[in-house]
Amino acid sequence: RLERLQRVVTKLQMESGLCEEQLNQADALLQADVRLLAAGKAPQKAAEVERDLDKADAMIRLLFNDVQSLKDGRHPQGEQMYRRVYRLHERLVSIRTEYNLRLKSGAPVTAVTAVSVTSGQRRPEPDEAPLRYLQELLAWVEENQRRVATAEWGADLPTVETHLGAHRGLHRAIEEFRAKVERARADESTWGAALWGGGCGVWPCRARTQLQSTPRPSQNSSKSRLRHLESLHGFVSAATKELLWLSEREEEEVAFDWSHNNPAMAAKKESYS
């Protein structure tokens, strides 16, 4: 049994290293595209970033399964391996959040409108970029509100820990989302009165109001879920320790020699009394 579990540890060490390389590659491609956006150019590697993140996600799911087998077998490195995979999961959440916000939320206005005059391409309408940016931001808010509302809690310690780790990453993203809203407000002068001002259409004005009002409820519901998950984790952790203690005592009783010839019977009787 120990040899089998040690093979699992070796496998975890090797595959977690490969997963880390996958995340490093995704992050490098993401930062390259972010620099392109900052320079007013279109991103080039978005599809590759998403593919790398999906691969890393699938790898981490399998790694968590291996970690669970170590914990079930009470291997001494089980907790260490869990923390290692948990850090990979947190990094995946962080990179995917940045990808969703910075690449999938639409390029900055300068990146969309700065089209070379000599290229012969049509210059986009002035309000196309901000409207698309608003739509993506609102979609992000709605999606994460749905995720918070429908997320599961977990029925044992490993699943509760997984949900808690995932939500901590999501909560950080929600906390940082207000900066995106502030950026949208700061870009008002660039987007012009046609979007925000008195001449704006009904949809843009409504979108602006909705965008400015939604982060606070999202933060509140996310904080509430985080608080409940932490409370649940504390309870399940304590309950799991008690169950492990009971299991160890049961194993001792089952393995004990209850015959009268056992010299330890006197001590056992004293212990029972």
Side-chain angles (χ1 to χ4, degrees), residues 38-249:
K41 300 177 183 178
Q44 303 292 326
K45 304 292 185 180
E48 293 180 43
V49 173
E50 189 156 7
R51 186 166 58 249
D52 285 343
L53 291 176
D54 288 342
K55 287 181 181 177
D57 191 6
M59 293 173 72
I60 288 172
R61 291 175 187 275
L62 295 176
L63 290 173
F64 270 125
N65 290 337
D66 288 337
V67 166
Q68 184 59 48
S69 68
L70 289 183
K71 287 196 166 188
D72 290 343
R74 300 182 190 176
H75 192 278
Q77 289 182 270
E79 186 62 28
Q80 176 189 348
M81 290 295 102
Y82 168 75
R83 288 195 297 270
R84 185 169 182 172
V85 177
Y86 174 73
R87 285 193 295 268
L88 290 173
H89 181 265
E90 278 198 317
R91 187 161 182 229
L92 169 68
V93 172
S94 175
I95 296 173
R96 191 181 289 281
T97 299
E98 185 176 9
Y99 167 74
N100 287 335
L101 288 176
R102 305 192 71 173
L103 290 192
K104 295 185 75 173
S105 64
V109 177
T110 54
V112 181
T113 57
V115 181
S116 173
V117 177
T118 59
S119 66
Q121 292 178 310
R122 180 185 67 86
R123 181 181 296 273
E125 293 299 322
D127 60 342
E128 286 181 5
L131 285 177
R132 183 166 60 253
Y133 183 60
L134 274 176
Q135 288 173 322
E136 293 290 349
L137 290 179
L138 287 169
W140 188 90
V141 171
E142 291 169 359
E143 169 63 18
N144 284 287
Q145 284 179 326
R146 185 193 64 76
R147 287 176 62 187
V148 171
T150 61
E152 297 181 359
W153 297 94
D156 53 27
L157 186 57
T159 54
V160 171
E161 287 178 335
T162 299
H163 289 310
L164 178 58
H167 187 71
R168 278 175 174 159
L170 175 61
H171 183 68
R172 280 198 299 272
I174 291 174
E175 290 287 329
E176 294 167 0
F177 181 72
R178 185 163 293 277
K180 304 296 177 182
V181 177
E182 294 302 322
R183 171 188 151 194
R185 294 180 63 184
D187 284 341
E188 289 181 13
S189 58
T190 304
W191 295 351
L195 179 63
W196 296 132
C200 69
V202 174
W203 189 91
C205 290
R206 185 181 303 157
R208 180 193 186 189
T209 301
Q210 184 180 355
L211 183 62
Q212 291 175 335
S213 63
T214 48
R216 182 59 58 187
S218 297
Q219 286 176 319
N220 291 340
S221 58
S222 179
K223 282 181 181 178
S224 176
R225 173 169 168 78
L226 181 60
R227 185 172 64 252
H228 290 314
L229 273 170
E230 289 173 341
S231 174
L232 177 62
H233 179 261
F235 170 78
V236 175
S237 296
T240 300
K241 289 179 181 177
E242 298 297 333
L243 289 170
L244 288 173
W245 184 87
L246 285 172
S247 178
E248 290 168 358
R249 299 292 81 76

